[in-house]
């Protein structure tokens, strides 16, 4: 395992140490314990920040997302630097992107943060933020893809976050299941997912802390303060887009060599969208099944999250239980909230009836 410096709120090691000691370096025999707090669920009228930590998003998409949030009964506020473009891609300089994160964290009236899009760039922010500032202002942070870096930082700071859809998708209207299930999660309805059987599943039951995200985003963060995979008793979530099978194998081997898979109590494989087929495996899941079967842990395949048309929300840093059976599987978040069964079979990107103003009536879809 690479050496990494820890900040210890929400994190402990197997050795005793001072609360203010930020210099503990874990060894392979001393994995981190990730213990995250859950930010408060949202209430009608509360503010949600829209920021761009990675690539820029057209302001038209941001403004449409703001309208969706208003329809949900929330008050959107747009980051001061949103709309800027640097080097043709980035949503501002490193300093400007970090500034918008701090702006959202430091404003007590802002209760959640939704990222506008991923792309690339959050790895540039790792050493610009401290775990203490994330810890001191526990707020829901929502995003996926390149935002996996920020999920790692949140988990290491001891704060749960949501791997979920962003402005680039919400701008389409916000009435599809991907969006409304995330909306309901922010409001306190916690999904308990029921999934159909998958031929590459590995049966069993496991509990642990959910970490991971986009594979080629979080693997380069190994050893940094954004590396939540240094924890023990993990449920690892992995998804990818437009990557070759051999590069997916390479990244998983890196996790293997760093002891991450030995610390897993289970694995969730999300969408592998437009990924290569250069080997004779039927699918990426089939390839990973062969790698993971030696660990004797449950593996849940085909969870609809990632870069596909359906991207159901996951609570990163949360304790979760997966139960994979011959006839299907269950994914449950063991956190406070109103548990609500969600059957993933048949969920498509087709919009559902408008959910506008439902929050105002105190209802849930």
């Amino acid at each position: 395992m690479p050496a990494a410096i820890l900040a210890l709120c929400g994190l402990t090691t197997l050795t005793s140490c001072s609360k203010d000691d930020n210099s503990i370096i874990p060894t392979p025999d001393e994995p981190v314990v990730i213990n995250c707090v859950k930010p408060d669920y949202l209430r009608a009228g509360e503010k949600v920040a829209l920021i761009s930590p990675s690539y820029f998003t057209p302001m038209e998409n941001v403004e449409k997302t703001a309208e969706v949030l208003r329809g949900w009964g929330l008050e959107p506020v747009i980051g001061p630097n949103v709309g800027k473009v640097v080097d043709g891609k980035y949503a501002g300089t490193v300093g400007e992107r970090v500034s918008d994160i701090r702006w959202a964290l430091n404003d007590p009236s802002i209760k959640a943060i939704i990222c506008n899009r991923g792309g690339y760039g959050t790895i540039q922010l790792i050493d610009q933020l401290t775990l203490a500032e994330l810890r001191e202002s526990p707020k829901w942070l929502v995003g996926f893809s390149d935002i996996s870096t920020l999920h790692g930082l949140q988990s290491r700071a001891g704060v749960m976050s949501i791997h979920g859809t962003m402005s680039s998708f919400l701008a389409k209207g916000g009435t599809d299941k991907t969006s409304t299930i995330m909306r309901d999660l922010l409001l306190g309805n916690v999904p308990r997912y029921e999934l159909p059987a998958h031929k590459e599943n590995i049966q069993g039951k496991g509990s642990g802390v959910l970490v991971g995200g986009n594979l080629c985003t979080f693997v380069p963060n190994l050893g940094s303060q954004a590396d939540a995979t240094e924890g023990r008793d993990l449920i690892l979530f992995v998804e990818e887009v437009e990557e070759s099978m051999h590069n997916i194998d390479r990244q998983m081997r890196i996790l293997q060599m760093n002891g991450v898979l030995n610390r897993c109590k289970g694995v969730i494989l999300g969408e592998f969208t437009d990924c290569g087929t250069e080997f004779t495996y039927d699918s990426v899941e089939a390839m990973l099944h062969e790698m993971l079967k030696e660990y004797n842990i449950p593996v849940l395949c085909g969870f609809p999250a990632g870069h596909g048309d359906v991207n159901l929300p996951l609570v990163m840093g949360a304790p979760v239980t997966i139960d994979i059976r011959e006839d299907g599987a269950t994914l449950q978040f063991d956190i406070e909230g109103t548990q609500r069964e969600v059957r993933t079979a048949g969920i498509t990107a087709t919009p559902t009836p408008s959910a506008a103003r439902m929050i105002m009536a105190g209802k849930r879809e």
Side-chain angles (χ1 to χ4, degrees), residues 166-189:
M166 301 180 285
S167 290
S168 52
F169 190 94
L170 289 170
K172 297 177 181 179
T175 59
D176 58 281
K177 284 292 185 181
T178 289
S179 301
T180 58
I181 293 172
M182 188 187 78
R183 174 205 65 197
D184 288 350
L185 173 56
L186 286 168
L187 301 178
N189 269 345

Side-chain angles (χ1 to χ4, degrees), residues 3 63 105 126 132 144 152 181 188 198 210 245 251 269 281 317 322 333 348-349:
E63 290 163 357
L105 288 172
I126 291 175
F144 73 105
I181 293 172
H198 191 289
L210 185 62
M245 276 189 173
Q251 303 305 316
L269 300 180
Y281 295 107
I322 57 174
F333 302 99
T348 69

